[in-house]
Amino acid sequence: IGLQQPTAGEIHVLGQEVTGHDVTQAPTLTRQWGVLFQGGALFSGLTVAENVQVPMREYFRLSETLMNEIAAYKIAMVGLKPEHHHLKPAELSGGMIKRVALARALIMDPPLLMLDEPSMGLSPIMVDKIFEVVRDVYALGVTVVLVEQNASMALAIADRAYVLQTGEIKLSGNAQDIARDETVRKAYLGDE
C-alpha cells in the first residue's frame, strides 16, 4: 500500500507496476483495495458509521443518505447491529473494532483486500466470525492477501500459502497440500 519501498525487486498490484511510485497519489489504484490494519486503525473521534464511510468521503461526493445506507449494509455484513452505528471506538470491544475495520476495508467493493492479522487478540468465536466474512468475500471473487499467525485458519481458507520464518519464505505452495502434510506442519508451523 506504499507505506514502505522495497529494497529490491518489483511490485505489481492489479496489473500496475508500483515500485518506486507514491501509490497514495494514485487514487484510481488505491480505491481498488481495502486494508484491515492489525489494530483496526479506527479514528477515535468518529462513530462506527463515520469510520466505515471514510473511503467514500475521500473518493466520492455522495449524499449523506446514500453513504449511511451503504455503510449500514457493510456494517450488517460483518455482523454488527444498527445500534452500534453511533458508538465511538472507545465503546467497542476488540472484536467489534476488527469488524468495523473490516467493514471499512470492504466499503468500496474492492477487487483486492489486504488483511493484517485479522484474528490477533480475538476470542476463538470472534475469529470464526471474522473468517466467515473473509470466506464470503473471497467467494465473491475478491483477491484476499492475508497475513496471519493463526496458520490453521489461514490454511483453511487460502488457495496459496507462503510460510515465513525470520523474514524468509521457508515454504510456498497449495494451501491444502501444506495443511495435509504433517511433516511440513511440524517443521514450519510448529504443530505437534
Side-chain angles (χ1 to χ4, degrees):
I1 61 174
L3 296 178
Q4 293 182 326
Q5 288 297 320
T7 56
E10 294 180 350
I11 298 175
H12 295 259
V13 179
L14 300 170
Q16 295 184 39
E17 199 275 321
V18 297
T19 314
H21 301 287
D22 183 357
V23 294
T24 62
Q25 299 303 310
T28 56
L29 180 62
T30 58
R31 73 179 181 205
Q32 293 186 67
W33 65 53
V35 179
L36 182 147
F37 293 96
Q38 188 177 89
L42 300 183
F43 296 101
S44 61
L46 300 181
T47 65
V48 164
E50 291 166 340
N51 265 286
V52 172
Q53 294 170 358
V54 166
M56 289 189 294
R57 292 182 187 281
E58 183 177 345
Y59 293 110
F60 302 112
R61 291 193 186 281
L62 301 173
S63 71
E64 288 295 318
T65 302
L66 182 57
M67 284 193 294
N68 287 334
E69 288 175 9
I70 295 169
Y73 173 75
K74 297 299 181 178
I75 291 167
M77 184 177 168
V78 298
L80 294 174
K81 298 181 173 139
E83 56 264 25
H84 298 125
H85 292 205
H86 301 291
L87 297 177
K88 299 274 179 99
E91 301 171 289
L92 304 175
S93 69
M96 293 170 79
I97 288 171
K98 289 282 178 120
R99 288 190 279 171
V100 172
L102 182 56
R104 182 178 60 196
L106 295 169
I107 196 71
M108 303 286 285
D109 293 323
L112 175 60
L113 183 62
M114 294 179 265
L115 308 175
D116 184 12
E117 298 283 357
S119 72
M120 177 80 60
L122 301 182
S123 71
I125 292 170
M126 192 53 56
V127 169
D128 287 343
K129 287 182 181 188
I130 291 282
F131 277 99
E132 181 179 320
V133 174
V134 173
R135 276 190 289 273
D136 291 346
V137 167
Y138 178 72
L140 296 173
V142 173
T143 298
V144 178
V145 177
L146 172 67
V147 175
E148 179 59 60
Q149 289 187 35
N150 184 333
S152 296
M153 189 63 77
L155 289 170
I157 66 170
D159 287 332
R160 286 197 60 74
Y162 296 84
V163 177
L164 300 174
Q165 282 184 338
T166 61
E168 293 181 27
I169 296 175
K170 296 293 184 179
L171 181 66
S172 67
N174 179 288
Q176 285 70 38
D177 291 344
I178 293 170
R180 283 190 294 268
D181 189 315
E182 287 185 39
T183 306
V184 167
R185 290 183 61 86
K186 286 179 184 177
Y188 293 104
L189 305 176
D191 288 358
E192 294 299 323

